[in-house]
Amino acid sequence: MSANPFDDAEARFLVLTNEHDQHSLWPATVTVPAGWSVALAESARDECVRYVERNWTDLRPREASR
């Protein structure tokens, strides 16, 4: 059984955003999925979490047409 890269507190992560301005913490070693863009370059997990907390305050999806 392999370890889940999302659970590794020592790993490096990215913060991704999609067209609805939703954010995702993403392992830097995993390919960025289609439809998502890098909002914060590779950083420590805690730095990524702080970025998401500061920048994604409304969890409702933004309308893509805006």
Side-chain angles (χ1 to χ4, degrees):
M1 176 185 233
S2 63
N4 184 339
F6 292 88
D7 294 335
D8 185 353
E10 301 303 314
R12 304 287 289 173
F13 287 85
L14 308 168
V15 174
L16 306 182
T17 57
N18 66 16
E19 66 181 15
H20 301 287
D21 201 31
Q22 295 170 308
H23 290 55
S24 178
L25 192 65
W26 198 256
T29 59
V30 177
T31 303
V32 174
W36 291 83
S37 301
V38 176
L40 180 66
E42 185 175 326
S43 303
R45 188 177 195 284
D46 60 336
E47 184 178 344
C48 290
V49 169
R50 284 192 303 272
Y51 180 92
V52 170
E53 289 172 345
R54 282 192 314 269
N55 292 282
W56 192 27
T57 57
D58 185 352
L59 300 184
R60 294 173 296 178
R62 180 177 55 84
E63 289 184 32
S65 61
R66 273 202 245 172

